[in-house]
Every structure is written in structure tokens, then in C-alpha cells.
């Protein structure tokens, strides 16, 4: 992320943040503490004012954006119940998982747990109905279906328990 700072004599400071799509977020901090926030679609366009806020409100919002009140946590497993005892579960594979680097066939998950891997999510890709030769990599999420206990066993097996 690139941030550009410039003085605005008699007004305050201006910060411009590149957003990655060619546009910029422009924040003008007045000497009084008031903030004005603009969006500039590209370097040749005029900025569009989005909103303004007081110093106190800007500091409160900044604290929220900073994560002082809530830190998102990625869960290791997500479960969806399909019937009385059948679940669909998403199980994350960490880098220290004994399954990282093995194929589905080598992992022997179905025989060991009774549950089936119906998809592998990797970054922005989804490998539906993966075959035994599909390699499990650290960072993958396995989409598993089976009896509730079997899916719990998959999660434990992936964690090396």
C-alpha cells in the first residue's frame, strides 16, 4: 500500500491512499480536526467527496478499522447439517498438518473416517469431485460430507490428532 502525504498550508494535511484499482482514497485532515474523505477514480479525474466527520468520530472509526475492538478469526471448521446425522463441513489444512503434501488417495481419509472429500478449495479455485491423485496443500480447505462423527474425525485427522 502506498500513502502520499502533502501539506495544505492554512488547512492541514492531505493523505492519498492507492486502492489497487487505480483509484485513490483522499483524506483531508483540517487543523481543526475535521476530516473530509474523497474518492478519486484516477489521477486525471476530480475527487468526489464521500463524507466528512469530526475529529472525535474519525478517531473512533479509526480505532474500529484498526481492529482494537474485534480481531477476525478464521475458524478451522465450518459445519452445515443436511439431515439428522449428515453434515457438510469445511476443514482448513494448516502447514503443519500431516496431510499437507499428500494426495487424497495417500491420506486414506474415506477409509480412516468414513467421510468423503467432495471438493478442495485452494485460493480462488475450487476442485469439485477431486480424484485420488488430487494433492492436498497447506492452506487448502477440504469440503467434506458424511455422518457427523465421521466429519469430526476428518477435522481431527487433518490436525494430526
Amino acid at each position: 500500500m502506498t500513502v502520499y502525504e502533502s501539506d495544505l498550508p492554512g488547512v492541514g494535511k492531505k493523505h492519498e491512499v492507492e486502492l489497487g484499482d487505480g483509484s485513490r482514497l483522499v483524506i483531508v485532515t483540517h487543523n481543526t480536526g475535521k476530516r473530509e474523505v474523497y474518492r478519486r477514480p484516477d489521477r486525471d479525474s476530480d475527487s468526489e467527496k464521500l463524507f466528512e466527520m469530526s475529529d472525535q468520530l474519525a478517531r473512533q472509526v479509526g480505532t474500529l478499522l484498526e481492529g482494537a475492538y474485534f480481531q477476525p478469526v478464521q475458524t478451522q471448521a465450518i459445519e452445515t447439517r443436511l439431515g439428522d446425522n449428515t453434515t457438510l463441513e469445511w476443514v482448513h489444512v494448516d502447514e503443519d498438518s500431516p496431510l499437507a503434501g499428500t494426495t487424497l488417495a495417500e491420506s486414506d481419509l474415506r477409509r480412516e473416517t468414513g467421510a468423503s472429500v467432495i471438493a478442495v478449495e485452494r485460493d480462488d479455485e475450487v476442485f469439485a469431485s477431486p480424484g485420488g491423485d488430487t494433492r492436498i496443500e497447506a492452506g487448502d480447505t477440504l469440503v467434506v460430507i458424511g455422518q457427523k462423527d465421521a466429519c469430526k474425525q476428518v477435522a481431527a485427522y487433518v490436525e494430526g490428532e
Side-chain angles (χ1 to χ4, degrees), residues 64-75:
L64 290 171
L65 291 173
E66 181 182 45
Y69 292 103
F70 176 73
Q71 288 289 324
V73 177
Q74 182 175 358
T75 60

Side-chain angles (χ1 to χ4, degrees), residues 57-116:
L57 181 58
R59 290 177 187 277
Q60 289 173 330
V61 170
T63 302
L64 290 171
L65 291 173
E66 181 182 45
Y69 292 103
F70 176 73
Q71 288 289 324
V73 177
Q74 182 175 358
T75 60
Q76 293 297 325
I78 302 168
E79 175 187 295
T80 301
R81 187 166 288 216
L82 298 176
D84 286 341
N85 196 30
T86 302
T87 60
L88 190 62
E89 201 164 307
W90 286 256
V91 180
H92 183 73
V93 180
D94 288 328
E95 58 190 32
D96 44 335
S97 170
L99 297 187
T102 67
T103 64
L104 282 173
E106 292 167 340
S107 75
D108 215 11
L109 273 173
R110 185 178 298 150
R111 190 179 65 73
E112 290 289 328
T113 66
S116 299

